[in-house]
Amino acid sequence: MSPDYVHRTGAPPGFKPVHLLVGVVVFVAWFAVLGFVLTHGRDHTSSVDVYSELPSGFTGALEAQGVTYQGLSPVDNGTQQQALSHLPALGNDNGGQPLVFRTSFTVAKKGGRPGPATPALMVVIPDPQGSDVHVEFVDPTTFKPLETVEYGASSPGTSSSSPTTSSAPSG
């Protein structure tokens, strides 16, 4: 018979027992990483559900004052601390837990048409008693305030102060 028709048995040519050991180590490491990934991350809030963290009536109250936002995403603790450290003191009556999100916002111009979308960090500071909500839109690089909105949470359409705009100096 010719060598093409003969079926070999045993290990392939050039095979060494160390190859089997390396294969087993790769196999075990693969399943260890897979097990770690699947078991960790449980009971953590999803970054997709950031909208549920906002006070009730939040979007409607901002829209009533001509401010809209889109594309909320969470920020890391360092960015959150920097944004909060650059904001002016809000007084003793507002000690709510601040929320900081990355977003873009627009302010309606005269005539009701929206202005250009501006990337920003949105800092939401609800009053612990639930009566007022303070919202600051700050520049994500300089942390200078771009827009400030306050509204009464009990009646989302009413405003305790009109929205004010302050432009960050360019440069």
Side-chain angles (χ1 to χ4, degrees), residues 40 56 82 85:
H40 287 75
S56 63
Q82 273 194 302
S85 70

Side-chain angles (χ1 to χ4, degrees), residues 55-58 61-62 65 131-133 135 149-153 156 158-160:
S56 63
F58 180 79
L62 263 59
Q65 297 189 28
S131 61
D132 292 322
V133 177
V135 182
V149 179
E150 289 188 26
Y151 71 90
T158 62
S159 166
S160 58

